[in-house]
Amino acid sequence: GGIHDGQTILKDDFQANQNEKPCVVNFSPSSEGVNVTIDANSGSCSSFCGLRGYFEGVYLKVPKSCESEERKKTHTEFKRLYDRKEYQEARNKLEPLLKDCFDSLEWIEKGWIHNDLAITQYKIGDLSGCQQTLKPYAADAARTEEDIRKEYPPRDVDSYIAILKATRTNLKL
């Protein structure tokens, strides 16, 4: 549907057949991007979300350097520098991605970037920087895979466990 005057009205077949109120979604600009809320007088919007899904929140305006293609280019260049053992240059390439794009990165990608940066810091002798970069994952890395599996949906857990395995390896270094 379209957005008119900062609002869109959604109605699925069930709502239409039951003569229920439609889902009313409000869009308002904010300094960060667009704030999306469900109108207080709205009918249910759950059928538009999917399993464990929701859409309310602030949708960030992502800087160009954080868009998907730019992130891919940055990571490709990082990998090229790393493979050539130009570790300081690789670090300089990757650190801004994590810093500038932190709020808009998907959590799994963020975990891999943390690990890539940490191993690069290790390679240049910045052991405290390496440990600091891995700190957000250290507590989970110390837990068993079985415990982790109990807390995450099946689709997410395998990806997260792979990140934690990399974190364990990097922390041991």
Side-chain angles (χ1 to χ4, degrees):
I3 300 171
H4 304 285
D5 296 325
Q7 191 175 75
T8 191
I9 299 172
L10 308 169
K11 196 168 195 175
D12 65 17
D13 292 339
F14 179 79
Q15 288 169 320
N17 289 338
Q18 299 298 314
N19 220 8
E20 291 186 15
K21 287 183 179 180
C23 168
V24 180
V25 183
N26 296 314
F27 301 85
S28 59
S30 74
S31 60
E32 298 172 297
V34 177
N35 193 27
V36 177
T37 59
I38 296 173
D39 193 85
N41 296 318
S42 177
S44 175
C45 297
S46 62
S47 63
F48 299 99
C49 300
L51 185 62
R52 295 185 317 273
Y54 60 91
F55 53 82
E56 286 187 284
V58 177
Y59 286 71
L60 302 174
K61 182 176 181 180
V62 178
K64 181 159 176 52
S65 63
C66 300
E67 291 176 2
S68 180
E69 285 304 312
E70 291 300 315
R71 290 192 329 271
K72 286 178 190 173
K73 286 180 191 175
T74 297
H75 198 267
T76 298
E77 180 63 12
F78 158 78
K79 182 80 169 112
R80 185 186 69 77
L81 292 166
Y82 184 91
D83 289 346
R84 291 174 48 184
K85 298 183 181 358
E86 296 176 22
Y87 299 124
Q88 186 60 52
E89 292 82 359
R91 176 186 185 168
N92 294 343
K93 182 55 81 173
L94 199 56
E95 273 183 338
L97 181 64
L98 194 57
K99 179 180 171 272
D100 299 341
C101 306
F102 189 84
D103 290 336
S104 61
L105 288 170
E106 185 266 334
W107 70 287
I108 295 294
E109 182 179 8
K110 198 180 293 184
W112 285 118
I113 293 171
H114 273 97
N115 273 280
D116 285 345
L117 179 58
I119 192 65
T120 305
Q121 291 167 318
Y122 169 78
K123 295 284 188 177
I124 60 175
D126 182 6
L127 301 183
S128 64
C130 174
Q131 290 175 338
Q132 188 64 34
T133 298
L134 294 174
K135 192 174 183 177
Y137 305 94
D140 278 351
R143 297 172 60 211
T144 67
E145 184 176 315
E146 183 180 317
D147 287 341
I148 297 295
R149 287 193 180 279
K150 291 176 186 174
E151 293 184 24
Y152 290 89
R155 182 175 176 157
D156 297 340
V157 75
D158 290 333
S159 297
Y160 190 48
I161 285 173
I163 289 166
L164 295 178
K165 285 180 180 179
T167 301
R168 288 182 194 115
T169 299
N170 292 335
L171 285 170
K172 286 178 186 175
L173 293 173

